[in-house]
Every structure is written in structure tokens, then in C-alpha cells.
Amino acid sequence: MRLRLFVLLIVATWLGTGSALAEKRVALVMGNSAYKNVAKLANPANDAALVGGMLGKAGFDTVDVKLDLNVVDMRKALREFGSKAREADIAVIYYAGHGIELDGTNYLIPTDAALETDTDVLDEAFPLDRVLFAIEPAKQLRLVILDACRDNPFAKTMKRTVASRAIGRGLAKVEPTSPNTMVAFAAKAGSTASDGDARNSPFATALVERLPMPGLDLRKAFGFVRDDVLKTTGYKQEPYVYGSLGGDDVPLVAAKPVIAGPQANPDAEIRRDYELALQLGTRDGWTAFLGQYPDGFYANLAKGQLNKIAAEETRAAAAEKARQAEDEKSRLAAERAKKAEQEKAAAAAKAAEDAKAAAEKAKQIEEAKAAVAEQRRKDAEAAAAKALADKQAAEKALAEKALADKAAVDRAVAEKQATEKPQDADSQQKVAAIAPTSTQPSLSPQETAKLVQSELRRVGCLAAAADGDWNASSQRSLTLFNKYAGTKLDAKLASFDALDAIKAKPGRVCPLVCDHGFKADGDACVKITCRAGYRVNDDNECEKVQDKKPVATREDAKKRDDERKKVEAAPSKPQSAGQIYCDTRSCRPVQKGCRIEIVVGQYGHREVCN
């Protein structure tokens, strides 16, 4: 009866812990735009709403979105979130607004901060360590995302109480001390971030596109965010991530199951190592297994096997002690020891025998526990294998049915075209649009458009964000792709044929077009710099700057010819002193003792004095 009760307790405990294996994820999103003592920021409130919506769709248990927080509201929000993080596996804090770096420490600035002097930062702003302290209790992942690297207006007006105190541009580099902690900056330490010209900043736009991708590890997701922001800002802003994670992938959204084909069992490798340790059956083998896999289903089984070994060791020690006591009893009896000594030895032998029986019973209990756990493992694996086989069979049947339906539709369309008159191009497009696409993934038109836009951005044919709106800009981008890729895709709609065609291109397809004074360098436009004495000409080439010399025009030549005729038409009689003399430049009186003579062979006059 006791054994049955113990087994039931083991099963109930196992079932009770099954629901606890689901991760609990919480997030706090803060956006400060309406600053009271400096100019308002346009995007932080919009960015916070966008990121909060993304986290909600990603399946977080709670997402608290707080906008325009003063110092009291910000302190309250961090304190309440710290309580939630203590019960969570994953905790995320996103902040958009102003931040400042003072003597190597980063601070987040509430909306009511004045910061008239550098010492006010300590009283009116929150250090980044306070944010890290709020998420520290989370068990598996702690993530802080700071879109606070904007050009800070407080730093320009703030009075320094100590001349040597450093107030940085942007935020300072951080090194998280807690394990499994990441801090992501919108711009690299010491640099500033751009708000952009759109409703949301380039950093926030890239975050909501990359982070919720199913199965994508956070480190790789932030790498894609970095690439997107660099391209969007013309390689002026580079996001950066500080901290480190372990060797396992840590996605924000779990990977979706594969539609077709055999699915890999993530526990297959652990199961193989468990079975090897089971065959070995030693304490060292199970200890090594738990060192490699300290948590999870198989770790619990290994701990049960260790308990079984420990019970066997205890039983063996008790049996040895009982044997020694029995030998001592026999020795004393053989030596005709005193009756008291014999009774004492007999009592010791009985106690040892009782301990042996208790150890034997404990061993049986541990063996029963191990047997139950092992049987449960085999049953679970068999059920999983059966479910996988059933799913694959159902998917195969569905795929075959879809192919059969498509073949039937193709035959019906072919028979109809054979019996009717030839259709024009528009009618053929309508028939193609009506034809079912049961073999394609079941995505909405907006999701399909977003995938096509993302690929167009990758090959350099689309500069706008991938928002799922297949507008005129997206149609022009697909038309541009057709031109340079040599395809004939229908630009009026986003189709899976277009998606496959664009995915087939490994690199840039559309050429990079740069403004005057800039040239293409890889995937970016860089400014053309000429050496001293040279300038950029209309052909975007450096040419030497030349001094401009006066160029004779037709009007100048005509003016000189008229003046020459005027001089030649003047009387040839020499002028005398006192009379007025005019040449091509001016008129003046003839000097006393001088006369004016015509210059022979030339046009003009000269003044001759005795």
C-alpha cells in the first residue's frame, strides 16, 4: 500500500511540474516624447507603441506600455516590473527617449527633468544599473533595449560644477555582470542615433521586423537589425549589443513546425547520451550526464538513477556491517565470552540486520521509482513517434490531395480554352488569378506582400520599409527588378512566384543610384573627396580648378572698332595748347608747349612736347 501511494505521489509531482515548463515572459515598454524643459521628441511614443504591439503579438504574458513618464511614474513602473520579473523566465525592457552619459555612467531622463547642472543628473534621472536591477530576477533571459542615443539638448545647456567632469556624446559602453543579460543600443557607444523622417525611427522599424521572426536567435536577429539600420541611415548609425548568452539559440518567438518532411527531435542527442549512461549504470556516468544536461526531463531521470545507486550502496554497507556483527557474535560465542558481552553482540547484530532490511526496502523503493520513470519515458517517446508519424501521414495526404485538385483545375482550364475562343491578355490574367494555389503556404495577402517587400529590400530594389502594403512604390520596385533581372513578373500583385524569383538572387540586383557629389561604394553612397585645387565636375569626376581669364566678346571688338574710326576721323591738324584733346580713353586740355600729332601707321594720336 505504501509503495502504491509513493508511486502515485511521484506521478502527481511529475504531472504538476509539466505545466511549469512553459516559459513566462514579461515586458516593460517606455516611450518619453513630451519633455517639458527641452524640445519634444517626435518618435519615442510612436516607437514604444510599435514595439509594445510586436511583443504582444510575440506571445508575451504581460506587456506594460508606459508613455511620457515623469520621475515619479518612472520609479513606480520600474518597481512594479521588478516584482513581475521575479516570477518570469524572460524579462524585456524597451526605452525610447533622451539619455545621457556622465563620468562613464548611463542615465535615462524622465520628461520633467531640468538638469540645470551636472549634479542634477544624480537626482532627476535613472541610472542604467537601476533598469538592470529591475530585470535581474528573471531566470533565463534579461534583455534591455535602449533607443536613447539621440543628440542630447540637456548636455548643451547644463552647467559643469567640476570642469574635468565628462559628459559624453551618446551613451557609454556597458558590461553586464549578470549572466544571460543583453543590452542593445540604437547606436554604438559614443555616437548618436537618428529619429529618421518617418513615423518611427530606423532602429524601432528594424526591431519589429527582425526580432519576432520564428526560431531566429536573438544574437542573429540583432545582427540583421544592425544591417538594416546601417543601410537605412547611409552607414551613419550602427546599433550595438553588449553582454553575452550561452551556446543554445534564444529566439524571441519559438520556431514554427516544419510543414513537410521528417521533423528533427530536439531531445534526440540528449536521449542518446542518456541511454549510453543507462548502459554504463555507474555513479560517474550519471554524474557526467548531469554535468552536461543539468535540467529537463532526462536530467530528472538521471537523478532518479543516482538515487537508485545510492540506495544500493547504502544497502551494501548495511549488509557488510551485519556480516561483521554476526562474525563478532560467533567469535565471542566461540571464546565462551561472558553472557553480557554475548547479549550486547546479539543486540548489535539485530540492529545491523534491521538496518540491512531498511536499506533493502529503500533500494526496492528507488528501483520502483526508476522503473516508473523509465516506463514513462518509453511511453512518452512512443507516443511522440506515433504522433509524428500520424502528422506526416496527414500532411502527405493533404499534399497529394492538393496536387490532385490542382491537376483537375488545370485540366478543366485547358478543356475550356480548347472549346472557347482565344482570350485576350487581360482575360488570361484573370483566369490565372482565379486558379487555386492550394500548394502554396496559407498566408494572407498582406503577409505575402511583406515577404516580397523584404526580399526587394535585400536585393536593393526597394528603399521603403516592408509594411505589407503593396502600393505604387512597391509596384515600381518590382518593375525595376524585372528590368535588371530579366524577369516578367506581374508588378500589380505580390505573388509567391515573385517571392521565389527574388529569393533566387544571392545579392544586389538593382544598381545603387547616388546624388551628385557621391559615388557608389558597395551597397552605400559615399561623398567624393577631391584633393586641394580640384573640384567635382558635372560628370562626378575631380578636375583642376582654373583661373578665369577675360574672354573677348563680339561687343568688345565692335566697341574698339568704333573708337578706332572716331580717332581716324579726327582732324589731322595738330592741336595747340589750350585746346581740348580726346583719345580713346578720355578728353583733356593740351598742355602748354605741347601739340597733338597723328601716329602714322596706327590709329590714334600722341601728345608731343618741346
Side-chain angles (χ1 to χ4, degrees):
M1 185 66 182
R2 288 185 178 180
L3 180 59
R4 180 185 299 175
L5 179 61
F6 188 82
V7 171
L8 290 176
L9 287 174
I10 291 294
V11 174
T13 303
W14 179 261
L15 294 177
T17 57
S19 60
L21 296 176
E23 293 179 345
K24 183 175 182 180
R25 301 182 294 172
V26 296
L28 172 62
V29 178
M30 298 179 287
N32 285 346
S33 288
Y35 283 90
K36 298 179 181 179
N37 298 297
V38 294
K40 294 183 179 181
L41 292 174
N43 284 346
N46 299 336
D47 295 340
L50 184 66
V51 173
M54 177 270 291
L55 293 173
K57 294 178 181 178
F60 272 63
D61 296 278
T62 59
V63 180
D64 298 329
V65 179
K66 309 287 186 180
L67 302 180
D68 297 329
L69 301 174
N70 57 32
V71 64
V72 176
D73 296 336
M74 204 163 178
R75 182 179 296 110
K76 180 181 178 182
L78 290 172
R79 183 170 60 247
E80 292 177 350
F81 185 72
S83 300
K84 296 180 180 179
R86 281 194 287 271
E87 302 175 357
D89 298 288
I90 297 176
V92 178
I93 292 181
Y94 171 84
Y95 171 79
H98 276 310
I100 192 170
E101 179 261 316
L102 182 67
D103 283 342
T105 301
N106 298 317
Y107 295 85
L108 310 185
I109 304 177
T111 56
D112 58 347
L115 304 186
E116 296 179 354
T117 65
D118 49 9
T119 58
D120 293 339
V121 175
L122 305 177
D123 300 323
E124 300 177 7
F126 289 90
L128 178 58
D129 289 341
R130 175 65 183 89
V131 178
L132 295 174
F133 184 80
I135 66 169
E136 188 175 11
K139 301 177 184 64
Q140 294 182 12
L141 173 66
R142 307 160 189 92
L143 174 61
V144 177
I145 305 173
L146 296 180
D147 194 356
C149 309
R150 296 167 173 82
D151 192 12
N152 191 351
F154 289 100
K156 299 176 182 178
T157 59
M158 184 185 300
K159 296 180 182 178
R160 271 67 164 178
T161 58
V162 178
S164 60
R165 178 162 291 150
I167 299 177
R169 182 173 181 265
L171 298 180
K173 180 180 178 181
V174 296
E175 292 295 342
T177 57
S178 299
N180 295 327
T181 301
M182 292 181 65
V183 180
F185 284 3
K188 195 173 182 179
S191 60
T192 58
S194 170
D195 260 352
D197 300 327
R199 175 179 173 82
N200 298 104
S201 69
F203 183 60
T205 302
L207 281 177
V208 299
E209 182 175 350
R210 296 296 185 177
L211 291 190
M213 295 180 70
L216 182 63
D217 181 60
L218 277 177
R219 287 158 291 198
K220 194 167 185 179
F222 277 110
F224 287 141
V225 171
R226 168 191 173 273
D227 295 343
D228 291 346
V229 174
L230 279 173
K231 292 180 181 180
T232 303
T233 61
Y235 288 79
K236 296 178 181 179
Q237 177 183 337
E238 179 183 7
Y240 216 80
V241 176
Y242 301 92
S244 63
L245 301 178
D248 295 333
D249 285 350
V250 184
L252 196 67
V253 178
K256 296 180 179 179
V258 180
I259 298 301
Q263 299 184 5
N265 184 0
D267 293 334
E269 184 177 355
I270 303 177
R271 184 182 66 186
R272 287 195 297 269
D273 291 346
Y274 174 85
E275 292 173 349
L276 289 175
L278 186 63
Q279 293 175 5
L280 186 61
T282 63
R283 177 181 290 276
D284 292 339
W286 290 117
T287 302
F289 178 87
L290 287 173
Q292 183 69 22
Y293 309 105
D295 301 307
F297 174 76
Y298 289 95
N300 294 332
L301 296 178
K303 292 174 184 176
Q305 294 291 341
L306 273 179
N307 293 338
K308 175 182 174 182
I309 293 175
E312 172 60 22
E313 291 173 348
T314 303
R315 186 205 62 79
E320 178 64 19
K321 190 173 181 180
R323 186 192 63 78
Q324 292 175 358
E326 188 66 30
D327 291 344
E328 180 68 11
K329 175 183 175 183
S330 300
R331 185 186 66 79
L332 291 175
E335 294 176 355
R336 296 181 179 179
K338 295 180 180 180
K339 184 179 180 180
E341 292 179 348
Q342 292 180 359
E343 290 176 353
K344 183 178 179 181
K350 185 177 184 303
E353 190 65 30
D354 293 341
K356 175 183 176 183
E360 185 70 29
K361 187 174 182 180
K363 175 191 174 184
Q364 293 175 358
I365 292 175
E366 292 300 329
E367 286 178 344
K369 288 165 56 178
V372 170
E374 188 66 14
Q375 185 60 42
R376 184 170 55 248
R377 175 183 72 86
K378 293 179 180 178
D379 294 343
E381 290 175 353
K386 183 177 183 303
L388 179 61
D390 294 342
K391 183 177 181 181
Q392 290 176 350
E395 291 173 347
K396 182 178 179 181
L398 183 62
E400 291 174 351
K401 183 178 182 302
L403 290 175
D405 292 344
K406 185 176 185 299
V409 171
D410 292 341
R411 286 195 301 270
V413 172
E415 292 173 359
K416 184 176 181 180
Q417 291 178 347
T419 56
E420 295 180 356
K421 295 181 179 180
Q423 299 174 326
D424 55 15
D426 293 337
S427 300
Q428 293 175 0
Q429 289 182 357
K430 291 180 180 178
V431 171
I434 294 173
T437 57
S438 57
T439 59
Q440 300 291 357
S442 57
L443 297 178
S444 66
Q446 186 176 8
E447 292 174 333
T448 305
K450 189 172 182 180
L451 291 175
V452 176
Q453 289 172 336
S454 298
E455 290 300 319
L456 286 173
R457 282 170 55 86
R458 181 182 63 81
V459 298
C461 297
L462 178 63
D467 55 5
D469 182 12
W470 193 254
N471 50 26
S473 176
S474 301
Q475 296 178 15
R476 288 195 298 270
S477 300
L478 186 53
T479 302
L480 196 63
F481 176 83
N482 285 333
K483 176 180 177 182
Y484 290 101
T487 57
K488 296 181 179 180
L489 302 169
D490 186 3
K492 294 181 180 179
L493 52 87
S495 62
F496 286 100
D497 292 338
L499 182 62
D500 293 339
I502 303 172
K503 280 186 175 180
K505 301 299 180 181
R508 173 179 286 277
V509 173
C510 298
L512 184 63
V513 180
C514 300
D515 296 334
H516 179 262
F518 292 81
K519 64 180 180 180
D521 184 6
D523 289 339
C525 292
V526 297
K527 188 175 182 179
I528 300 174
T529 304
C530 300
R531 66 176 186 269
Y534 285 76
R535 65 179 180 85
V536 179
N537 61 14
D538 294 339
D539 296 329
N540 255 15
E541 297 177 351
C542 293
E543 68 175 10
K544 189 173 183 180
V545 179
Q546 298 180 354
D547 295 334
K548 293 185 178 180
K549 296 181 180 180
V551 179
T553 62
R554 182 176 300 176
E555 291 77 7
D556 295 336
K558 183 175 183 301
K559 183 176 180 181
R560 287 197 303 271
D561 187 55
D562 293 342
E563 291 175 348
R564 179 181 61 79
K565 292 179 179 180
K566 179 179 179 182
V567 172
E568 290 177 349
S572 60
K573 180 179 179 180
Q575 303 287 326
S576 58
Q579 291 184 334
I580 300 301
Y581 156 63
C582 295
D583 58 14
T584 59
R585 292 173 296 179
S586 63
C587 294
R588 62 181 182 275
V590 178
Q591 299 182 16
K592 186 176 181 181
C594 298
R595 65 181 184 277
I596 301 302
E597 294 181 351
I598 297 176
V599 179
V600 180
Q602 302 178 12
Y603 66 90
H605 301 74
R606 66 179 177 180
E607 186 176 20
V608 179
C609 301
N610 295 330

